[in-house]
Amino acid sequence: MDIGTVMNTMRDPAGVPAHPVLFQGLMILTWVFHIAFVHLTMGAAALAIYAFHRRDKGEYWERLSMALTKVAKVGVSLLIVLGVAPLLFTQVIYDPQWYASNVLSGRWAIGFIFTLIIGYCCWFTFYYANHEGAKKHAGVYAWIALALFFLDGLIMHALSYQALLPDQWMNWYAPGGIVDTSGSALHAIQWPRYIFIMSLSLPAVGVFLIAYAHYFASRADREQEYQAFARALGQRLATWGFGVSLVPMLVWQFIQPSASGLMLHPVGWLLVAALAAMLVWMKRLTAATHGYLPVLGGLGVLAVLALWREVVRVAHLKPFGYDITTYTVHVDWPSTLLFFSTFVGVGGLVGGFYLTLLYRSGRVQGLYTAERSVARLGTAAVAILVIWIAVFLAYGITIWVRNSFV
Amino acid sequence: MKNIFRLGLAALLLATSTVQAQPLGEPAPDVGAGKKRAAACFACHNPDGIAKIPGTPHLAGQERGYLENALRAYRDGQTRQNPIMNAMAKPLSDRDIVNIAAYYSLQTRMNNGPAR
Amino acid sequence: MDMLGMYPTFYVPGIGTAWVMGIIGVIHVVASHTSVGASFLFALLETKAYREDKPQLMDFIKKYGMFLLVFSYIIGSITGPGIWYAITVASPRGVGGLIHNFVWVWAAEWVYFTVEVIGVYALVYLIGKVDAKTHLKLTWSFALASWATMLLIVGILSFMMWPGNEAWYQTGSTNDAFYNLNFFAHLGTRTGSMVAMAAVVGLMVASRLKDMALRRSVVKFLAPIGLVGGLFAVMMFLYYLQTLPNNAVVMLNTHLLPVYARGMVAVFVTATLYLVFAWWKPHRLYTSLTVAMFAFISIVGVWPEERMRESMRKPYVAGQYIYGNQVIARDVPGKGIVGEVDKIAEHGLLKLHPFVPDRLRVINDSNRLEVGRLLTKVACANCHSLEPGTPLRNIPDKFHGATDEDLIAAFMQGPLKHGTQPYMPRIDLPDEEVRAIAHFLATVNSGKDVDHLIAEQQKLATKVAAK
């Protein structure tokens, strides 16, 4: 059977509830934030471990290790939750590829969940242990956690990459015509791509440290020297990191299948250029530059990466005749409205309230008393939730009564 | 344990009852063979002959002759037409029918049947 | 050429993918109910602390918040997508069907999750760092948001059971799918259990309070809330049972209640007695016992609940239109979905399934056993393990060890072909395929090592081909 036709048949018969390109856009956009926290977490975890083993070289290292341990702990939770959205939107338009790839490596897909839980618990243990004068063996938990996080990254990479190679699926499922339902292998890994994406953890923690130093600059109770230390370290890591990541990126670029035309595709080279530009910028960065700008620059790089990833996917699937725009559409307005209104209302007001509160209170020494605007935002956050729930239930009861009883 | 006892009792009963019930020349039904052959029937009628699926009859203690006749009629598919039972009875030999009917007819209905 | 949009099969021997999902599901329900429960508990405690000016209570929230709220929240948020992964590898078409009906609902839930992850850290870290009133808003908004995620997931879960009426099949509208017949019953059950669980979690926290007067006031406040929550959950569960489709009722009466009913009653009685006891004698509250109580509810209460929910909707995985074995069971005109059972009856799985190796598409004497095994995995293994004695309703035991090929085939050509077993899908296959499956099952039941036999046959076949 022609695998292109097979893929188009494997699409969900229900079709999609809005234009496929909308899901594609949301997928690319939400992935940027997911991968940003992946990089931050991996970078922070690695540096926290490095700093943990350098504690006797100076108290700044100890303090940095403790701070970054906390960053990685929060980072894991955010990367997980931010990963849900791209995972969801991928399944909407690329369900044949994603599901086939998962099924073919079923044990790894399940293993991903359990290793992530174990890794997270290990990191939590390390977080509880990593205080002034912590015992050296606490570092073991951190190492296990980091190793598991890298393994999880590899599993996600393989699942994504296998999805791009539909002509291989049958060979993996039934090599030599003998069916294997065990899902026990990762069938395809493109090391340069995996190493490149993972390598961005280095500059990520670099630009984070620059912003970190800037954030606490307003706090008189925090030592200036420590902030200077963090900023200098951040700049060094960012400079080196962008430089190092260029190598696997270029390798990835040159191993793209020749027929795909990806090797010369402008978006790929734009990514190379963005990395190089960040490298030069980070090398020349002076104290005059606002501390948050490098983070924004980094997010820009990731936006190009997210786009490039999608370009690569489209190029791989096109020869098979798979094109998301031909997905059947059954527009469902009420649920579309539900998402966007929740996004704006709850995301904006409640999320906005939390972020504002965290940001403002962290910059104040001692107790922070909410200004009027923040206090109002808090009231609005509670109010929008009450309204949301009320509307949700009232609307639901109407439909429920109409369908089930009338 | 209880089942073995019950089966033993059933066999005993059978041995005595067949004396009058069995037409001359035909060998006595083999309850064990009937049970083995009926394994696929248990999916609906259960090994103890008490069905749990609504609409499925209990067979425990059902009249042997009736069961035999019913199975034969299902097998022939003329007088009793039922897509499930026609298919189920089709592969049965006369011997199978006698054995299976004996197996179910010798069960008691007292145990854990749902109140209906 | 005709084909079906089927996926390759992933099979876990013995427990099947169903138990893998069950295990992840239990971790998820325990973790997420704890965190949602804890969020309301903390909101109530904080309100009390604020009104009655008892800042000691805030120290408590700070002390236990990191574990009860953050840790359980994160484990919940890993295992939530974990359930997705599990159903993806178990029932790719089932999860696809849900995703394509509910993508925007899930996306809305994701907004809540993202907001909550930020909120959970804010809640714990900002205790004592922001003014009390602002923090109270933070805690209450977090609790409300937590409940909202429950509202959003319950509609999807209850649709998996069934829509309860024809509306969705005709309109295809997410509204009609989501607010199905058993939505409110299901929501009530979960909300009640969440409150009861929160009370038990609260007792765990309270058992650590050294100040007896404070402990008494906290316990006297929580215990009745927990009792009402538990009672409400039970009442809503009884109502829920009234909203179930026939296949679920049959499954419940024949297979599930006999196994699980006692455990569930035991959980309810023990939890009730424990809450009453705590209410009566707060100073006799010991942490170890409360933790044991919580573990008891989690294991003896949640495992059956998750297994029942999964089992009851059989033969379907979603909306009474997709069978467990990934075949579309019926037409859904509102979405342009067409049932596939008749098509399979006409052409057979071997011809229509895209993931069948060519050497197995035509049955012959040297591959019948192997084809039988593949077809059994495709058509049955989503709900049944193939190994005798294994826990996932294994087929050999379901056939009571039947070794007669002809009668196994008869069962497939009778009840299965016509779909008369309420909790079994209608599986109508061409004769050749029926015989291959029957051959395989009879061989398994006779106690032979099928895997070895198949390997031998494969070796022989390659030798013949080489010549």
Side-chain angles (χ1 to χ4, degrees), chain A residues 52-284:
Chain A
F52 180 76
H53 292 300
R54 276 183 75 96
R55 283 173 304 165
D56 37 2
K57 298 276 188 310
E59 60 152 327
Y60 290 164
W61 285 109
E62 183 170 58
R63 201 187 295 177
L64 185 72
S65 177
M66 279 154 38
L68 289 177
T69 304
K70 221 186 248 187
V71 169
K73 182 196 71 179
V74 177
V76 177
S77 11
L78 275 161
L79 80 85
I80 291 164
V81 81
L82 289 168
V84 171
L87 178 68
L88 172 66
F89 297 129
T90 303
Q91 293 177 74
V92 176
I93 46 178
Y94 291 115
D95 46 334
Q97 294 80 12
W98 179 249
Y99 294 156
S101 177
N102 270 265
V103 166
L104 290 170
S105 300
R107 290 195 188 182
W108 291 92
I110 299 298
F112 171 82
I113 298 303
F114 286 102
T115 49
L116 190 56
I117 293 176
I118 297 168
Y120 179 70
C121 290
C122 285
W123 194 261
F124 223 84
T125 313
F126 178 61
Y127 157 76
Y128 274 124
N130 191 7
H131 292 295
E132 282 90 354
K135 297 225 170 61
K136 201 172 172 193
H137 67 76
V140 174
Y141 290 105
W143 279 105
I144 297 173
L146 187 65
L148 289 175
F149 293 158
F150 273 111
L151 173 68
D152 291 333
L154 186 66
I155 296 173
M156 276 303 107
H157 161 75
L159 293 178
S160 312
Y161 184 56
Q162 289 173 184
L164 304 185
L165 307 169
D167 51 343
Q168 300 288 318
W169 294 347
M170 199 60 204
N171 293 336
W172 295 333
Y173 183 52
I178 293 173
V179 175
D180 174 13
T181 53
S182 70
S184 54
L186 286 179
H187 302 282
I189 295 169
Q190 196 177 31
W191 287 103
R193 174 174 166 161
Y194 170 67
I195 292 170
F196 165 62
I197 295 185
M198 285 296 120
S199 74
L200 290 175
S201 308
L202 216 57
V205 71
V207 295
F208 170 78
L209 281 178
I210 298 172
Y212 170 78
H214 179 90
Y215 178 70
F216 285 116
S218 67
R219 287 266 295 262
D221 58 330
R222 301 270 174 144
E223 267 176 73
Q224 294 295 322
E225 288 79 19
Y226 173 65
Q227 281 153 33
F229 162 80
R231 184 177 165 109
L233 181 66
Q235 190 174 353
R236 214 162 67 229
L237 280 171
T239 313
W240 271 96
F242 283 115
V244 165
S245 66
L246 266 170
V247 180
M249 174 61 206
L250 285 170
V251 177
W252 182 24
Q253 199 60 357
F254 285 115
I255 60 160
Q256 296 286 6
S258 46
S260 65
L262 285 167
M263 217 185 281
L264 295 172
H265 197 285
V267 176
W269 289 102
L270 178 64
L271 182 53
V272 174
L275 291 169
M278 286 300 287
L279 164 66
V280 174
W281 184 29
M282 288 303 107
K283 203 171 165 63
R284 296 187 180 169

Side-chain angles (χ1 to χ4, degrees), chain C residues 242-259:
Chain C
Q242 302 308 309
T243 63
L244 293 174
N246 180 48
N247 57 308
V249 175
V250 173
M251 186 70 161
L252 200 69
N253 289 332
T254 56
H255 291 96
L256 301 173
L257 285 182
V259 185

Side-chain angles (χ1 to χ4, degrees), chain C residues 263-280:
Chain C
M264 291 175 78
V265 172
V267 164
F268 176 68
V269 171
T270 324
T272 307
L273 287 177
Y274 191 70
L275 283 169
V276 170
F277 171 75
W279 197 3
W280 179 40

Side-chain angles (χ1 to χ4, degrees), chain A residues 332 334 395 399 402, chain C residues 101-102 167-178 334-335:
Chain A
D332 191 80
Y395 183 68
I399 291 168
R402 192 192 65 198
Chain C
N101 276 297
F102 296 111
W168 173 75
Y169 300 107
Q170 300 308 324
T171 63
S173 161
T174 309
N175 278 342
D176 296 326
F178 190 90
K335 289 276 193 200

Side-chain angles (χ1 to χ4, degrees), chain C residues 84-160:
Chain C
W84 258 0
Y85 279 93
I87 39 177
T88 293
V89 295
S91 308
R93 295 186 95 192
V95 74
L98 293 175
I99 294 276
H100 287 80
N101 276 297
F102 296 111
V103 50
W104 291 126
V105 178
W106 257 317
E109 200 188 5
W110 168 75
V111 173
Y112 274 106
F113 284 149
T114 310
V115 165
E116 279 182 282
V117 169
I118 304 166
V120 82
Y121 285 109
L123 200 165
V124 175
Y125 281 132
L126 295 185
I127 291 173
K129 288 190 184 143
V130 299
D131 65 281
K133 197 167 177 191
T134 306
H135 196 274
L136 196 59
K137 288 177 194 167
L138 175 59
T139 311
W140 271 109
S141 60
F142 181 78
L144 289 173
S146 295
W147 194 53
T149 60
M150 184 186 273
L151 291 177
L152 286 167
I153 198 64
V154 161
I156 301 175
L157 293 180
S158 52
F159 169 79
M160 285 172 86

Side-chain angles (χ1 to χ4, degrees), chain B residues 44-61:
Chain B
C44 303
H45 296 288
N46 282 321
D48 61 2
I50 307 290
K52 286 178 180 162
I53 301 170
T56 307
H58 302 317
L59 300 183

Side-chain angles (χ1 to χ4, degrees), chain C residues 258-304:
Chain C
V259 185
Y260 296 127
R262 267 183 234 162
M264 291 175 78
V265 172
V267 164
F268 176 68
V269 171
T270 324
T272 307
L273 287 177
Y274 191 70
L275 283 169
V276 170
F277 171 75
W279 197 3
W280 179 40
K281 284 197 173 349
H283 55 282
R284 286 290 176 86
L285 209 56
Y286 299 110
T287 314
S288 51
L289 193 61
T290 320
V291 171
M293 190 66 227
F294 185 73
F296 178 69
I297 295 181
S298 311
I299 296 159
V300 184
V302 177
W303 173 258

